[in-house]
Amino acid sequence: MAKKIQETLVCDFVGGPVGHRFRSGCGRGQALPKAIGLKTGINPIVVDATAGLGRDSFLLASLGLHVTLIERNKEMHQHLKLGLDKARNASDEYREIIDRMTLLYGDAKDIIPTLEPDVILVDPMHPERKKSALVKKEMRLIREIVGTDPDAKELIEIALNHAKKRVVLKWPMKADSIQGLRMPSHQITGKSTRYDVFIQN
C-alpha cells in the first residue's frame, strides 16, 4: 500500500493546479492571504503548523512572505521536501520563492514555542467531505499517510499562546467548529473553505 501511495501522491509546485495558480498571478486576492492579514507594506512572518503538501505555504511565499513549514509525518515530510527541491531547480523565479520557505520535521506543538511568528496557520485533517472523485482520491491518500489529527484543539491552543498577531484555522465551510475553542474574531470564506481568524489582543 505504501508503494502505491508513493507512486500516486505528488507534491508539485511547478505543474498542476499550483503552478497554474502561480502563473495566473491571482494569488493576492484569494481568501487565505486576506485571512493571514497580508496588506501593502505588511508582510507577516508565518508558521504553517500542518504543512501537508505545502500548497498554502507556497502561495504565501509567492506573495513575498517568509513561511516556516512544519510537518510531523515522515513520509509526508519527504514528499514535501522532494517537491520543494524540484521547484527550487525549476527556475530562478521558483528558487527565490522556495528560499522563503523553511521546512522543519517534527511536531508543531513542540516546535511552535521555539519560534516567534506573527501568524500561525493551522490546517488539521478535516472531517470527511463529499466532493469530486479527484479530491476524494487525493484526500484518501493523504489520510492513509497522516491519519487523523485528534490533537487539533491542543495545537490551536498552543498556537494561540505563541502567535504575535493572529492564528488562522482553515476548515471546511459547512463543518462544525472544533468544540472548546473560543469564538474567532471573524471569518473569511472561500468556495468550499472558511478561515476562522483569531486576532491576538
Side-chain angles (χ1 to χ4, degrees):
M1 182 61 71
K3 183 177 181 181
K4 182 179 179 181
I5 292 172
Q6 289 176 348
E7 291 176 348
T8 306
L9 190 64
V10 177
C11 179
D12 185 7
F13 300 109
V14 180
V18 179
H20 174 74
R21 181 173 63 180
F22 172 60
R23 290 188 295 274
S24 70
C26 62
R28 187 171 289 269
Q30 295 186 31
L32 175 58
K34 294 178 181 178
I36 291 294
L38 179 61
K39 297 179 181 178
T40 302
I42 300 178
N43 293 316
I45 297 173
V46 179
V47 165
D48 183 347
T50 49
L53 290 175
R55 292 171 178 170
D56 289 335
S57 291
F58 179 81
L59 168 62
L60 297 175
S62 73
L63 297 175
L65 303 188
H66 288 269
V67 185
T68 297
L69 300 81
I70 305 174
E71 177 52 55
R72 65 181 175 183
N73 180 275
K74 187 174 182 179
E75 185 174 345
M76 186 62 72
H77 177 271
Q78 184 64 19
H79 279 298
L80 185 48
K81 183 178 184 301
L82 290 173
L84 291 171
D85 289 343
K86 179 181 178 182
R88 181 179 284 109
N89 295 323
S91 69
D92 290 341
E93 185 179 24
Y94 270 97
R95 182 179 300 108
E96 182 178 348
I97 295 170
I98 302 303
D99 284 347
R100 290 193 288 270
M101 301 170 68
T102 301
L103 175 61
L104 301 178
Y105 172 61
D107 194 321
K109 299 194 303 297
D110 300 324
I111 295 176
I112 284 174
T114 71
L115 306 174
E116 295 183 351
D118 296 314
V119 180
I120 299 177
L121 171 65
V122 182
D123 180 13
M125 184 56 67
H126 299 162
E128 294 283 358
R129 291 188 297 170
K130 295 181 179 179
K131 288 293 181 180
S132 69
L134 179 62
V135 173
K136 283 185 178 180
K137 180 179 179 180
E138 184 175 70
M139 285 304 301
R140 184 174 68 251
L141 294 173
I142 294 174
R143 286 177 189 277
E144 289 184 23
I145 294 176
V146 305
T148 59
D149 287 324
D151 58 348
K153 179 175 178 289
E154 181 183 359
L155 173 57
I156 297 167
E157 289 175 340
I158 290 173
L160 288 168
N161 286 330
H162 290 90
K164 293 180 180 179
K165 296 183 178 179
R166 65 178 66 189
V167 172
V168 178
L169 171 62
K170 183 178 180 180
W171 204 240
M173 179 78 75
K174 297 182 180 180
D176 294 335
S177 299
I178 296 177
Q179 292 186 351
L181 287 180
R182 65 178 171 89
M183 292 291 293
S185 305
H186 63 280
Q187 294 180 333
I188 295 178
T189 58
K191 292 181 179 179
S192 60
T193 302
R194 74 173 192 259
Y195 297 90
D196 292 350
V197 182
F198 302 84
I199 302 295
Q200 302 290 67
N201 295 324

